[in-house]
Amino acid sequence: MRSLTLGFQEIEQTQLMLVGGKGLHLGELSKLKGIQVPEGFCITTIGYQQAIEQNETYQALLDRLTMLTVEDREQIAEISSAIRQSIREVVLPSDIVNGVTRYLSQLGEEHAYAVRSSATAEDLPHASFAGQQDTYLNIIGQQSILQHISKCWASLFTDRAVIYRMQNGFDHRHVYISVIIQKMVFPQASGILFTADPITCNRKVLSIDASYGLGEALVSGLVSADCYKVQDGQIVDKRIAVKKLAIYGRKEGGTETQQLNPEQQKSQTLTEQQILQLAQIGRQIEAYFGCPQDMEWCLVDGTFYIVQSRPITTLYPIPEVDDQANRVYVSVGHQQMMTDAMKPLGLSFFLLTTPAPMRKAGGRLFVDITPMLASPDSREMLVNNLGQSDPLIKDALTTILERENFITSVPNEKTIPSGPNTNDNEMVAANFQNKFEPDSTIVSDLIKNHQTSIEELKEVIQTKSGSALFDFILEDIQQLKKFLFDPQSLGVIMTAMNASAWINENMNEWLGEKGAADTISQSVPNNITSEMGLALLDVADVIRPFRDVIDYLQHVNVDIGEDELVKIEGGQESLDAIHAYLNIFGMRCAGEIDITRTRWSEKPSTLVPMILSNIKNFEPNASKRKFEQGRVEAVNKEQELLQRLQQLPHGEQKAEETKQMIDLVRNFIGYREYPKYSMVNRYFVYKQALLKEADRLVAAGVIVQKEDIYELTFEELHEVVRTHQLDYQIISKRKDEYKVYEKLTPPRVITSDGEIIAGKYKRENLPAEAIIGLAVSSGVIEGRARVILHMEDAALEEGDILVTAFTDPSWTPLFVSIKGLVTEVGGLMTHGAVIAREYGLPAVVGVENATRLIKDGQRIRVHGTEGYIEIL
């Protein structure tokens, strides 16, 4: 009987699987000194399991439910309803009835009780399941309480709970439910307390929502609540809502909604003293649980009762730091156009590559820019550089700098320069003022040096294994860093960027023409990324004549079976074309800065949808025509600008200067993409060598599958290879953490308080419904929006406008099919913007929530010159 019912005071910290998240937290809260919790007890999950284990109808329905996916909404609703009905009809085990009788005799059967659900997959640090199961208030009498126990069990299978479990990877069979039976309190006021601001995520700001009566009115959205903010023991903000209604308990049981009198509607629910007292209680509970909490509270005759406390699961983690100083962090992912979570091996490799002061949080990297913000000189340079890359970051940093005393200024000479992403060329290159002649061979020489170095690496790494391999990789990363931060290389990139900015600024001033450099940048030489998109058109040309090959590729599910393909007419030619493409571009993939991501060479079938799309949408020789069309448009634009300039005062001089700048752009801007290509190339060579070591670890029984090495840092993997020792729980733990990180949206800017500072675009004279972003490639285009989150899901028609979260170089092959681009992340010189300009695609980037605001299939107009989108 004891295992079927447990009083709050009897619940142990290890009994999550017996009493669920809510029950476990109430048990712990009830033992905390100075915290008032209404008395109660739990029907444990064993009682639920006993009740359903012999229910054949339930088991059969559950079998059907486990076969469904989230998309099968109608079947989910039908089967879930039948499961709920079967659970409500179960006969309660006699031990449960006896346990309820015993506790009610102790607590008082005449009292009213709340009967509340507590699932084992609820109120967890990584999945709140908040509001998924049912609660029944003011239940009076043993018989009524017993009836509501089975109702709570049944609520484990509400449609929303079932779908939530599917989305979060929880097995229906392994989620159980406990029922809390807790003495009702009848409050004058109640509400919710967050020990971190749920909007800004600031851990130092405590947020209280308060309204009259029971909290159900607030939770259900029936009334607006007062909102109070408390920081460092001071009320820093108050918003008093008009509260027209309140829910109260009835003496005979149940609840009723009452209209409040006009005076009470506008009054402040809690006094100043009560607000601060409640804030203190919140901080005490947060300190006990060790993480920010979301609590439900009641005020009864001047005493605060806590009826629930759970972790806040929506906060973005704060970057790791060793001290308590105020710090500001900028997202690397927003600079690198890859905001997805990275595996530990990927994070550690990127950290080995960059000299910037990096911090990890939520599976992403952030740069601590506090030292640069502390100096007036470096502060201005940093904010302006970031503003060119991403205006939303600049606006967020400006907001922080306007706050008094958040960052203490230091004399300039004490500042340690550190860019937000020193691996990103435009940030580092600000220090280089190299000037080059437009017709110099510098670009071809740099590319040749890169290629020679890669070939040497491939040859030497074959001879390395074990610890010697790790030592060699560390040495070679120094070589990679030399390439990435080579003053000549960065000087070329900076020269091209400055020339492009000069053209845009002066053509706008002299001729009233915006974005002139965008057209000038079309079809430039030596752009390895734009060449990648055009080269896939050539692969399509090879395959196009062979109908049987096309039919085979249309039915490829997992990967291309080369043995099958060569038996088909044209199969060998097609394979040769694909292999030739992969020899140059096979190290690329979506999210390529994470070394653990699957490369195209590892899974060539990723390219199949794009090849088929090219066959469908284009005629033969499209790559040459596209490149030549862009080149002609650039030449025509150059001639037009020079002719118009010559008509102006001092026209000859202006035309001469402009011609020089155009030549710099045409010859050098394409190289902007090469250092990243070189880095990814090297990463793939390292990865192939490490996977050979992983095969040896699998053979030795140290790891289960070779991909397990992705869950280890470079240093940890080195130690495992050296010792053949590994606590495998680390792998399982990190896989679970990654599932959590995948669902997080990283902020552009976050402080050491956990506050997310959201920047805003400051624009005027735009249409009322305009969706605002950053103009990066000029022109206006209308078309069908295709909202695509994963490149392999792209099914594009020529003339579509691609709307996505971000595009790194791997997305370039899609650019040949589209007419415009909209992304949530990006800046003027990020990869998507550079390629959009070269292909002549109007583009707007940095559009907050673009993939949610714009629906797939909507007709939209992209204003690439002005930086906004209209939904038509």
Side-chain angles (χ1 to χ4, degrees), residues 68 77 83 116 139 141 190 243 297 338-339 395 436 453 460 478 488 512 549 596 660 674 759 771 840:
L68 303 179
I83 290 176
R116 311 169 69 192
I139 309 302
S190 56
K243 302 164 285 292
W297 57 269
M338 209 295 275
T339 54
D395 190 63
F436 303 97
S453 178
V460 177
Q478 300 312 307
Q488 280 197 319
V549 173
T596 71
Q660 185 181 7
Y674 205 88
I771 301 171

PDB file of all heavy atoms in Angstrom, residues 68 77 83 116 139 141 190 243 297 338-339 395 436 453 460 478 488 512 549 596 660 674 759 771 840:
ATOM      1  N   LEU A  68       1.655   5.990 -35.250  1.00  0.00           N
ATOM      2  CA  LEU A  68       1.321   7.261 -35.898  1.00  0.00           C
ATOM      3  C   LEU A  68       2.464   8.272 -35.794  1.00  0.00           C
ATOM      4  O   LEU A  68       3.357   8.142 -34.957  1.00  0.00           O
ATOM      5  CB  LEU A  68       0.059   7.852 -35.274  1.00  0.00           C
ATOM      6  CG  LEU A  68      -1.206   6.983 -35.306  1.00  0.00           C
ATOM      7  CD1 LEU A  68      -2.355   7.721 -34.632  1.00  0.00           C
ATOM      8  CD2 LEU A  68      -1.575   6.616 -36.745  1.00  0.00           C
ATOM      9  N   ALA A  77      -6.436  12.077 -32.699  1.00  0.00           N
ATOM     10  CA  ALA A  77      -7.606  12.528 -31.930  1.00  0.00           C
ATOM     11  C   ALA A  77      -8.567  11.368 -31.666  1.00  0.00           C
ATOM     12  O   ALA A  77      -9.063  11.203 -30.532  1.00  0.00           O
ATOM     13  CB  ALA A  77      -8.317  13.649 -32.693  1.00  0.00           C
ATOM     14  N   ILE A  83      -8.706   5.952 -25.893  1.00  0.00           N
ATOM     15  CA  ILE A  83      -7.838   5.584 -24.758  1.00  0.00           C
ATOM     16  C   ILE A  83      -8.336   6.269 -23.492  1.00  0.00           C
ATOM     17  O   ILE A  83      -8.430   5.638 -22.423  1.00  0.00           O
ATOM     18  CB  ILE A  83      -6.372   5.959 -25.048  1.00  0.00           C
ATOM     19  CG1 ILE A  83      -5.782   5.052 -26.130  1.00  0.00           C
ATOM     20  CG2 ILE A  83      -5.520   5.848 -23.776  1.00  0.00           C
ATOM     21  CD1 ILE A  83      -4.367   5.412 -26.549  1.00  0.00           C
ATOM     22  N   ARG A 116      -4.702  16.825  -8.947  1.00  0.00           N
ATOM     23  CA  ARG A 116      -3.805  17.337 -10.004  1.00  0.00           C
ATOM     24  C   ARG A 116      -2.966  16.211 -10.592  1.00  0.00           C
ATOM     25  O   ARG A 116      -2.528  15.311  -9.882  1.00  0.00           O
ATOM     26  CB  ARG A 116      -2.871  18.406  -9.419  1.00  0.00           C
ATOM     27  CG  ARG A 116      -3.588  19.457  -8.618  1.00  0.00           C
ATOM     28  CD  ARG A 116      -2.636  20.347  -7.826  1.00  0.00           C
ATOM     29  NE  ARG A 116      -1.845  21.202  -8.680  1.00  0.00           N
ATOM     30  CZ  ARG A 116      -0.790  21.886  -8.242  1.00  0.00           C
ATOM     31  NH1 ARG A 116      -0.406  21.781  -6.984  1.00  0.00           N
ATOM     32  NH2 ARG A 116      -0.115  22.659  -9.067  1.00  0.00           N
ATOM     33  N   ILE A 139     -12.581  19.825  -5.064  1.00  0.00           N
ATOM     34  CA  ILE A 139     -13.282  18.540  -5.073  1.00  0.00           C
ATOM     35  C   ILE A 139     -13.526  18.110  -3.621  1.00  0.00           C
ATOM     36  O   ILE A 139     -12.590  18.046  -2.829  1.00  0.00           O
ATOM     37  CB  ILE A 139     -12.455  17.461  -5.818  1.00  0.00           C
ATOM     38  CG1 ILE A 139     -12.020  17.975  -7.209  1.00  0.00           C
ATOM     39  CG2 ILE A 139     -13.243  16.170  -5.929  1.00  0.00           C
ATOM     40  CD1 ILE A 139     -13.165  18.379  -8.110  1.00  0.00           C
ATOM     41  N   GLY A 141     -15.241  15.315  -0.865  1.00  0.00           N
ATOM     42  CA  GLY A 141     -15.772  13.970  -0.624  1.00  0.00           C
ATOM     43  C   GLY A 141     -14.916  12.896  -1.273  1.00  0.00           C
ATOM     44  O   GLY A 141     -14.437  13.045  -2.394  1.00  0.00           O
ATOM     45  N   SER A 190      -3.714  35.283  -6.403  1.00  0.00           N
ATOM     46  CA  SER A 190      -2.816  34.197  -6.808  1.00  0.00           C
ATOM     47  C   SER A 190      -2.149  34.583  -8.116  1.00  0.00           C
ATOM     48  O   SER A 190      -2.489  35.589  -8.731  1.00  0.00           O
ATOM     49  CB  SER A 190      -3.594  32.886  -6.972  1.00  0.00           C
ATOM     50  OG  SER A 190      -4.655  33.069  -7.883  1.00  0.00           O
ATOM     51  N   LYS A 243      -8.743  44.132 -14.145  1.00  0.00           N
ATOM     52  CA  LYS A 243      -9.081  42.727 -13.867  1.00  0.00           C
ATOM     53  C   LYS A 243     -10.592  42.635 -13.633  1.00  0.00           C
ATOM     54  O   LYS A 243     -11.066  42.833 -12.516  1.00  0.00           O
ATOM     55  CB  LYS A 243      -8.292  42.248 -12.635  1.00  0.00           C
ATOM     56  CG  LYS A 243      -6.783  42.379 -12.833  1.00  0.00           C
ATOM     57  CD  LYS A 243      -6.011  42.281 -11.531  1.00  0.00           C
ATOM     58  CE  LYS A 243      -6.106  43.510 -10.675  1.00  0.00           C
ATOM     59  NZ  LYS A 243      -5.426  44.694 -11.238  1.00  0.00           N
ATOM     60  N   TRP A 297       1.617  30.521  -7.064  1.00  0.00           N
ATOM     61  CA  TRP A 297       1.498  30.917  -5.670  1.00  0.00           C
ATOM     62  C   TRP A 297       0.073  31.371  -5.360  1.00  0.00           C
ATOM     63  O   TRP A 297      -0.690  31.731  -6.248  1.00  0.00           O
ATOM     64  CB  TRP A 297       2.481  32.052  -5.332  1.00  0.00           C
ATOM     65  CG  TRP A 297       2.312  33.265  -6.210  1.00  0.00           C
ATOM     66  CD1 TRP A 297       2.956  33.527  -7.382  1.00  0.00           C
ATOM     67  CD2 TRP A 297       1.397  34.363  -5.999  1.00  0.00           C
ATOM     68  NE1 TRP A 297       2.506  34.713  -7.928  1.00  0.00           N
ATOM     69  CE2 TRP A 297       1.572  35.254  -7.098  1.00  0.00           C
ATOM     70  CE3 TRP A 297       0.484  34.691  -4.999  1.00  0.00           C
ATOM     71  CZ2 TRP A 297       0.840  36.432  -7.205  1.00  0.00           C
ATOM     72  CZ3 TRP A 297      -0.248  35.865  -5.109  1.00  0.00           C
ATOM     73  CH2 TRP A 297      -0.066  36.725  -6.210  1.00  0.00           C
ATOM     74  N   MET A 338      25.359  29.997 -39.535  1.00  0.00           N
ATOM     75  CA  MET A 338      25.054  28.622 -39.134  1.00  0.00           C
ATOM     76  C   MET A 338      24.649  28.665 -37.667  1.00  0.00           C
ATOM     77  O   MET A 338      25.479  28.547 -36.776  1.00  0.00           O
ATOM     78  CB  MET A 338      26.275  27.718 -39.336  1.00  0.00           C
ATOM     79  CG  MET A 338      25.913  26.268 -39.633  1.00  0.00           C
ATOM     80  SD  MET A 338      25.077  25.346 -38.323  1.00  0.00           S
ATOM     81  CE  MET A 338      26.471  24.780 -37.363  1.00  0.00           C
ATOM     82  N   THR A 339      23.357  28.854 -37.422  1.00  0.00           N
ATOM     83  CA  THR A 339      22.888  29.030 -36.047  1.00  0.00           C
ATOM     84  C   THR A 339      22.407  27.727 -35.419  1.00  0.00           C
ATOM     85  O   THR A 339      21.902  27.731 -34.304  1.00  0.00           O
ATOM     86  CB  THR A 339      21.749  30.075 -36.000  1.00  0.00           C
ATOM     87  OG1 THR A 339      20.734  29.688 -36.929  1.00  0.00           O
ATOM     88  CG2 THR A 339      22.265  31.456 -36.371  1.00  0.00           C
ATOM     89  N   ASP A 395      22.423  47.546 -33.072  1.00  0.00           N
ATOM     90  CA  ASP A 395      21.393  48.204 -32.266  1.00  0.00           C
ATOM     91  C   ASP A 395      21.348  47.626 -30.851  1.00  0.00           C
ATOM     92  O   ASP A 395      21.181  48.360 -29.878  1.00  0.00           O
ATOM     93  CB  ASP A 395      20.024  48.049 -32.941  1.00  0.00           C
ATOM     94  CG  ASP A 395      18.973  48.909 -32.270  1.00  0.00           C
ATOM     95  OD1 ASP A 395      19.117  50.142 -32.284  1.00  0.00           O
ATOM     96  OD2 ASP A 395      18.018  48.344 -31.705  1.00  0.00           O
ATOM     97  N   PHE A 436      46.359  46.786 -53.600  1.00  0.00           N
ATOM     98  CA  PHE A 436      46.852  45.936 -54.678  1.00  0.00           C
ATOM     99  C   PHE A 436      46.444  46.518 -56.015  1.00  0.00           C
ATOM    100  O   PHE A 436      45.401  47.164 -56.146  1.00  0.00           O
ATOM    101  CB  PHE A 436      46.273  44.527 -54.551  1.00  0.00           C
ATOM    102  CG  PHE A 436      46.558  43.876 -53.227  1.00  0.00           C
ATOM    103  CD1 PHE A 436      45.624  43.910 -52.205  1.00  0.00           C
ATOM    104  CD2 PHE A 436      47.764  43.236 -52.999  1.00  0.00           C
ATOM    105  CE1 PHE A 436      45.885  43.318 -50.986  1.00  0.00           C
ATOM    106  CE2 PHE A 436      48.034  42.645 -51.776  1.00  0.00           C
ATOM    107  CZ  PHE A 436      47.102  42.681 -50.766  1.00  0.00           C
ATOM    108  N   SER A 453      49.003  23.203 -50.455  1.00  0.00           N
ATOM    109  CA  SER A 453      49.036  22.838 -49.034  1.00  0.00           C
ATOM    110  C   SER A 453      48.058  21.706 -48.729  1.00  0.00           C
ATOM    111  O   SER A 453      48.374  20.791 -47.957  1.00  0.00           O
ATOM    112  CB  SER A 453      48.708  24.067 -48.190  1.00  0.00           C
ATOM    113  OG  SER A 453      48.675  23.740 -46.827  1.00  0.00           O
ATOM    114  N   VAL A 460      50.447  13.430 -46.268  1.00  0.00           N
ATOM    115  CA  VAL A 460      51.155  13.173 -45.004  1.00  0.00           C
ATOM    116  C   VAL A 460      50.231  12.540 -43.966  1.00  0.00           C
ATOM    117  O   VAL A 460      50.652  11.648 -43.207  1.00  0.00           O
ATOM    118  CB  VAL A 460      51.766  14.482 -44.458  1.00  0.00           C
ATOM    119  CG1 VAL A 460      52.449  14.239 -43.114  1.00  0.00           C
ATOM    120  CG2 VAL A 460      52.757  15.062 -45.449  1.00  0.00           C
ATOM    121  N   GLN A 478      47.735  25.020 -37.100  1.00  0.00           N
ATOM    122  CA  GLN A 478      48.522  26.257 -37.114  1.00  0.00           C
ATOM    123  C   GLN A 478      48.735  26.728 -38.549  1.00  0.00           C
ATOM    124  O   GLN A 478      48.727  27.926 -38.841  1.00  0.00           O
ATOM    125  CB  GLN A 478      49.873  26.040 -36.408  1.00  0.00           C
ATOM    126  CG  GLN A 478      49.758  25.626 -34.950  1.00  0.00           C
ATOM    127  CD  GLN A 478      48.787  26.490 -34.166  1.00  0.00           C
ATOM    128  OE1 GLN A 478      48.881  27.724 -34.167  1.00  0.00           O
ATOM    129  NE2 GLN A 478      47.822  25.849 -33.500  1.00  0.00           N
ATOM    130  N   GLN A 488      48.127  39.158 -46.585  1.00  0.00           N
ATOM    131  CA  GLN A 488      47.844  39.370 -48.008  1.00  0.00           C
ATOM    132  C   GLN A 488      46.427  38.939 -48.358  1.00  0.00           C
ATOM    133  O   GLN A 488      45.692  39.634 -49.055  1.00  0.00           O
ATOM    134  CB  GLN A 488      48.848  38.589 -48.861  1.00  0.00           C
ATOM    135  CG  GLN A 488      50.188  39.266 -49.011  1.00  0.00           C
ATOM    136  CD  GLN A 488      50.962  38.668 -50.176  1.00  0.00           C
ATOM    137  OE1 GLN A 488      50.964  37.462 -50.372  1.00  0.00           O
ATOM    138  NE2 GLN A 488      51.626  39.528 -50.933  1.00  0.00           N
ATOM    139  N   GLY A 512      22.610  59.180 -57.646  1.00  0.00           N
ATOM    140  CA  GLY A 512      21.332  58.803 -57.051  1.00  0.00           C
ATOM    141  C   GLY A 512      20.971  57.349 -57.293  1.00  0.00           C
ATOM    142  O   GLY A 512      19.795  56.978 -57.309  1.00  0.00           O
ATOM    143  N   VAL A 549      18.345   6.814 -66.087  1.00  0.00           N
ATOM    144  CA  VAL A 549      19.126   7.319 -64.947  1.00  0.00           C
ATOM    145  C   VAL A 549      18.270   8.293 -64.137  1.00  0.00           C
ATOM    146  O   VAL A 549      18.231   8.247 -62.903  1.00  0.00           O
ATOM    147  CB  VAL A 549      20.425   8.003 -65.417  1.00  0.00           C
ATOM    148  CG1 VAL A 549      21.138   8.671 -64.238  1.00  0.00           C
ATOM    149  CG2 VAL A 549      21.349   6.995 -66.080  1.00  0.00           C
ATOM    150  N   THR A 596      31.456  17.651 -37.649  1.00  0.00           N
ATOM    151  CA  THR A 596      30.711  16.396 -37.509  1.00  0.00           C
ATOM    152  C   THR A 596      29.583  16.266 -38.533  1.00  0.00           C
ATOM    153  O   THR A 596      29.006  15.183 -38.674  1.00  0.00           O
ATOM    154  CB  THR A 596      30.115  16.266 -36.098  1.00  0.00           C
ATOM    155  OG1 THR A 596      29.043  17.198 -35.933  1.00  0.00           O
ATOM    156  CG2 THR A 596      31.159  16.530 -35.015  1.00  0.00           C
ATOM    157  N   GLN A 660      38.713  52.406 -61.504  1.00  0.00           N
ATOM    158  CA  GLN A 660      39.715  51.710 -60.689  1.00  0.00           C
ATOM    159  C   GLN A 660      39.028  50.848 -59.619  1.00  0.00           C
ATOM    160  O   GLN A 660      39.411  49.695 -59.385  1.00  0.00           O
ATOM    161  CB  GLN A 660      40.648  52.727 -60.032  1.00  0.00           C
ATOM    162  CG  GLN A 660      41.800  52.080 -59.262  1.00  0.00           C
ATOM    163  CD  GLN A 660      42.703  53.116 -58.594  1.00  0.00           C
ATOM    164  OE1 GLN A 660      42.390  54.304 -58.613  1.00  0.00           O
ATOM    165  NE2 GLN A 660      43.792  52.668 -58.017  1.00  0.00           N
ATOM    166  N   TYR A 674      37.015  32.122 -50.672  1.00  0.00           N
ATOM    167  CA  TYR A 674      37.994  31.042 -50.738  1.00  0.00           C
ATOM    168  C   TYR A 674      38.537  30.590 -49.376  1.00  0.00           C
ATOM    169  O   TYR A 674      38.692  29.376 -49.146  1.00  0.00           O
ATOM    170  CB  TYR A 674      39.162  31.410 -51.664  1.00  0.00           C
ATOM    171  CG  TYR A 674      39.818  30.168 -52.209  1.00  0.00           C
ATOM    172  CD1 TYR A 674      39.349  29.574 -53.380  1.00  0.00           C
ATOM    173  CD2 TYR A 674      40.845  29.542 -51.524  1.00  0.00           C
ATOM    174  CE1 TYR A 674      39.904  28.404 -53.867  1.00  0.00           C
ATOM    175  CE2 TYR A 674      41.411  28.366 -51.996  1.00  0.00           C
ATOM    176  CZ  TYR A 674      40.939  27.801 -53.157  1.00  0.00           C
ATOM    177  OH  TYR A 674      41.479  26.623 -53.614  1.00  0.00           O
ATOM    178  N   GLY A 759      17.851  43.622 -31.062  1.00  0.00           N
ATOM    179  CA  GLY A 759      17.977  44.880 -31.794  1.00  0.00           C
ATOM    180  C   GLY A 759      16.759  45.134 -32.679  1.00  0.00           C
ATOM    181  O   GLY A 759      15.959  44.235 -32.939  1.00  0.00           O
ATOM    182  N   ILE A 771       7.649  43.729 -43.936  1.00  0.00           N
ATOM    183  CA  ILE A 771       8.501  42.904 -43.070  1.00  0.00           C
ATOM    184  C   ILE A 771       9.929  43.367 -43.331  1.00  0.00           C
ATOM    185  O   ILE A 771      10.450  43.240 -44.436  1.00  0.00           O
ATOM    186  CB  ILE A 771       8.337  41.407 -43.406  1.00  0.00           C
ATOM    187  CG1 ILE A 771       6.871  40.993 -43.215  1.00  0.00           C
ATOM    188  CG2 ILE A 771       9.250  40.552 -42.547  1.00  0.00           C
ATOM    189  CD1 ILE A 771       6.554  39.596 -43.723  1.00  0.00           C
ATOM    190  N   GLY A 840      22.891  37.972 -59.182  1.00  0.00           N
ATOM    191  CA  GLY A 840      21.909  38.988 -59.545  1.00  0.00           C
ATOM    192  C   GLY A 840      20.540  38.750 -58.937  1.00  0.00           C
ATOM    193  O   GLY A 840      19.516  39.085 -59.545  1.00  0.00           O
TER     194      GLY A 840
END
